[in-house]
Amino acid sequence: MSDRFALTGARVFDGEDWHDNAALVVRDGLVEAIVPAGAIPSGVTRIETGGGMLAPGFVDLQVNGGGGVMLNDHPDVASIETICRAHAPFGTTALLPTLITDTPEITAAVAAGALAAQQKVPGFLGLHLEGPHLSVARKGAHDPALIRPMTDVDQAMLIATRTTLPVLLTTIAPESVDPARISALVEAGIVVSLGHSDTGYAKARGFADAGATVVTHLFNAMSQIGNREPGLAGAAIDTGTLFAGIIADGIHVDPATMAIALRAKQGPAKIFLVTDAMATIGTDMTSFTLNGRTIYRKDGRLTLADGTLSGADLDMIAAVRFVHHVVGLDLSEALRMASLYPAQAIGQAHRLGRFANGTAADIVALSDELDVKGVWIEGDKVFGAGIN
């Protein structure tokens, strides 16, 4: 393919506004411009998309697995590539492979694999280390034997890992980490998320003041909103500096609860979509293991034997459809929740989640029914046999 091409025949959503009768011009892996369909520069290769819409590729900040692989079980570059490849057909063009609470040795191996994945794996954005510095009281599917407080050694490891990666996000619980450590992590460029925590509202707000800017899977594995104690869920909604991921599958959070939270959320930080996806994405597997425990797939749920939810059997386009069709969000907002807002949450909105001159040509072509027709990562088509 030419290194300069124009996608035509579809409405273009630039992350904020819609453009009709327009073309998206790409050059050397970057967006060059959105131009009227009749004003495509001469010499540019035209690619007809056949209707529908073009939108910024989806950005998923919590992806535990895909393509039959869990990052915990295979903490290497090959697994990162498998996971990224498995999610691309669902519109995800940038993701954070996510390590669920594990040993220091596995964490170190993941960091090494991530270093090797840079400049090699399309869609690889960085890492999300979800634990091990969480609350046993809100452990969810995390192995309680591996949960522990953060030490000086842990803090140094996180800071050293961040120096090798463009993005490092870590989920911690205030019960297991001193606020001074949060400030040090943030100063080193690490995105700190609060989650798997039974902390109260005031303490959560204090950690936001210390530099935490994200909350992991809103309403799940956290203290809830009560009449006298708003909890971490309340702090996430009421604190303007806290972004919050949400699993929009209708299982983890009731649609009415989701709608209430979206109406109530104080900005400028927003609620964004995450899949919390596991190994099942892109496969027909019915079970897999995590830290030696079997997780079962049935009726859209992933659970341990005791019924505890264990991640989600969810892809990003399904989450977009859910918040649009079931929760009732305007399509523009649903798309922003999958692209612009997560990009903002990790400080990458200058290159991801929108179309503007110089942003990455990470593109998803959607039908009017919100089926994925084609996907490009940095201008290279990675999915979509019907678009040439």
Side-chain angles (χ1 to χ4, degrees):
M1 179 187 292
S2 168
D3 60 4
R4 192 179 187 210
F5 62 92
L7 297 174
T8 66
R11 299 180 73 203
V12 179
F13 179 65
D14 66 12
E16 292 289 349
D17 301 309
W18 291 92
H19 303 260
D20 293 308
N21 301 311
L24 181 64
V25 182
V26 173
R27 184 169 193 165
D28 296 329
L30 302 176
V31 171
E32 182 175 311
I34 298 171
V35 301
I40 298 173
S42 61
V44 175
T45 301
R46 298 178 182 227
I47 300 174
E48 173 58 46
T49 62
M53 64 198 82
L54 299 172
F58 304 146
V59 180
D60 195 346
L61 305 187
Q62 192 167 5
V63 183
N64 313 297
V69 169
M70 288 293 291
L71 186 61
N72 286 69
D73 293 333
H74 303 279
D76 54 36
V77 65
S79 293
I80 290 172
E81 186 171 12
T82 296
I83 291 167
C84 291
R85 188 169 58 245
H87 284 265
F90 305 102
T92 298
T93 56
L95 61 80
L96 295 181
T98 301
L99 184 72
I100 295 168
T101 294
D102 216 310
T103 64
E105 292 76 18
I106 293 295
T107 303
V110 165
L115 178 61
Q118 292 189 73
Q119 311 303 321
K120 179 179 178 180
V121 178
F124 173 71
L125 183 57
L127 283 180
H128 178 172
L129 302 179
E130 187 184 2
H133 315 300
L134 307 177
S135 166
V136 172
R138 293 285 184 172
K139 65 184 184 300
H142 291 242
D143 186 345
L146 297 173
I147 292 173
R148 56 190 176 77
M150 184 181 292
T151 66
D152 290 344
V153 172
D154 297 318
Q155 179 179 315
M157 181 278 297
L158 287 167
I159 292 172
T161 300
R162 171 61 180 86
T163 64
T164 68
L165 293 175
V167 177
L168 177 62
L169 185 153
T170 185
T171 295
I172 62 92
E175 297 94 317
S176 292
V177 184
D178 187 270
R181 295 194 188 277
I182 302 305
S183 299
L185 296 178
V186 171
E187 185 175 345
I190 297 168
V191 180
V192 175
S193 185
L194 307 178
H196 286 275
S197 172
D198 210 30
T199 194
Y201 173 91
K203 191 168 185 178
R205 288 291 296 254
F207 272 67
D209 291 341
T213 54
V214 182
V215 171
T216 295
H217 45 51
L218 182 62
F219 294 114
N220 290 105
M222 68 178 60
S223 48
Q224 301 296 299
I225 298 174
N227 61 326
R228 294 185 179 87
E229 171 50 68
L232 178 54
I237 294 169
D238 194 47
T239 306
T241 58
L242 287 176
F243 287 86
I246 199 162
I247 305 170
D249 61 357
I251 295 169
H252 284 76
V253 183
D254 187 276
T257 303
M258 201 176 302
I260 292 167
L262 288 164
R263 289 195 299 268
K265 176 69 180 113
Q266 297 294 304
K270 302 287 189 178
I271 294 173
F272 60 89
L273 298 174
V274 295
T275 62
D276 201 15
M278 302 293 254
T280 53
I281 297 302
T283 78
D284 59 1
M285 63 198 308
T286 57
S287 66
F288 60 96
T289 61
L290 172 65
N291 297 136
R293 297 174 296 172
T294 301
I295 295 175
Y296 300 92
R297 182 190 204 184
K298 185 178 181 181
D299 300 328
R301 293 174 179 265
L302 299 177
T303 63
L304 295 171
D306 64 4
T308 300
L309 286 173
S310 304
D313 193 15
L314 179 68
D315 57 72
M316 194 60 96
I317 189 58
V320 170
R321 291 191 204 107
F322 187 87
V323 294
H324 179 47
H325 294 311
V326 180
V327 179
L329 286 189
D330 180 82
L331 179 57
S332 300
E333 187 67 2
L335 292 171
R336 280 189 285 265
M337 286 182 69
S339 55
L340 180 61
Y341 298 159
Q344 290 174 337
I346 55 171
Q348 296 294 309
H350 61 288
R351 67 184 191 92
L352 299 175
R354 59 194 183 94
F355 295 148
N357 179 261
T359 61
D362 288 0
I363 306 159
V364 58
L366 301 170
S367 70
D368 292 331
E369 293 76 30
L370 297 182
D371 293 318
V372 177
K373 298 166 54 179
V375 177
W376 291 258
I377 297 178
E378 295 184 349
D380 291 329
K381 189 170 71 172
V382 296
F383 176 77
I387 298 175
N388 298 301

